[in-house]
Amino acid sequence: LGTADRAFYYGHSYTANPLGCAAALASLDLFIWEKTLEHLPEKIEHLRKSLADLQARQPLIHEVRQCGLIAGIELRRPDGVKFPASERFGETICRAALEHGLLTRPILDTIVLMPPLSITLAELDHAVSALGSALFSHSPASGH
């Protein structure tokens, strides 16, 4: 809109691609049909409670920060001291969680959980369980 000096000359090969647009519209239809947004409060609370329970049982979890379905699980030694950056502990936990079926990523020693809005409660339980298994296998009591 407007003159050429105000144009936004940037795009991607998928911009306005008919197949991509059809997939996006189908996704929006699913949001309506499955009432995805209506189910979010229950899922958000379920994740909050599950992570709080895991934190109560796992001394490596220093803090859990959550906004909606996005959570950051900060890991530290049981005494609260940060792991040395060279240890890449967050990466170690993410690799261990992958062995239990959870694909996630660290930002240093903060594990990022960012599930899709369509996730089920059972899938949330699996994610938290996989993270717990990874943490317990690398806790001080396990010898790691």
Side-chain angles (χ1 to χ4, degrees):
L1 300 175
T3 61
D5 62 319
R6 294 182 45 96
F8 185 58
Y9 291 109
Y10 189 79
H12 301 280
S13 60
Y14 55 82
T15 300
N17 178 292
L19 183 58
C21 290
L25 289 172
S27 179
L28 291 174
D29 286 343
L30 276 175
F31 262 59
I32 294 166
W33 183 67
E34 293 180 352
K35 299 180 174 155
T36 302
L37 298 180
E38 292 176 33
H39 295 291
L40 280 181
E42 176 187 15
K43 294 174 185 181
I44 291 166
E45 182 61 14
H46 188 81
L47 180 61
R48 186 196 65 73
K49 287 180 179 177
S50 298
L51 289 174
D53 178 58
L54 180 60
Q55 183 178 14
R57 296 179 294 116
Q58 179 46 258
L60 295 175
I61 297 178
H62 177 72
E63 182 181 21
V64 174
R65 297 179 296 277
Q66 183 179 348
C67 182
L69 274 183
I70 300 171
I73 299 101
E74 185 179 343
L75 308 177
R76 291 192 185 176
R77 297 189 188 283
D79 62 5
V81 174
K82 292 183 178 186
F83 291 96
S86 61
E87 206 169 307
R88 301 174 70 138
F89 191 70
E91 183 179 325
T92 298
I93 295 302
C94 288
R95 288 178 192 256
L98 185 57
E99 294 174 15
H100 298 279
L102 176 65
L103 178 60
T104 189
R105 69 182 182 93
I107 298 177
L108 301 177
D109 290 332
T110 298
I111 307 302
V112 178
L113 283 183
M114 199 173 348
L117 301 181
S118 61
I119 195 167
T120 65
L121 296 180
E123 290 167 335
L124 281 171
D125 287 341
H126 177 79
V128 173
S129 175
L131 179 59
S133 294
L135 285 165
F136 283 108
S137 69
H138 288 81
S139 67
S142 71
H144 287 86

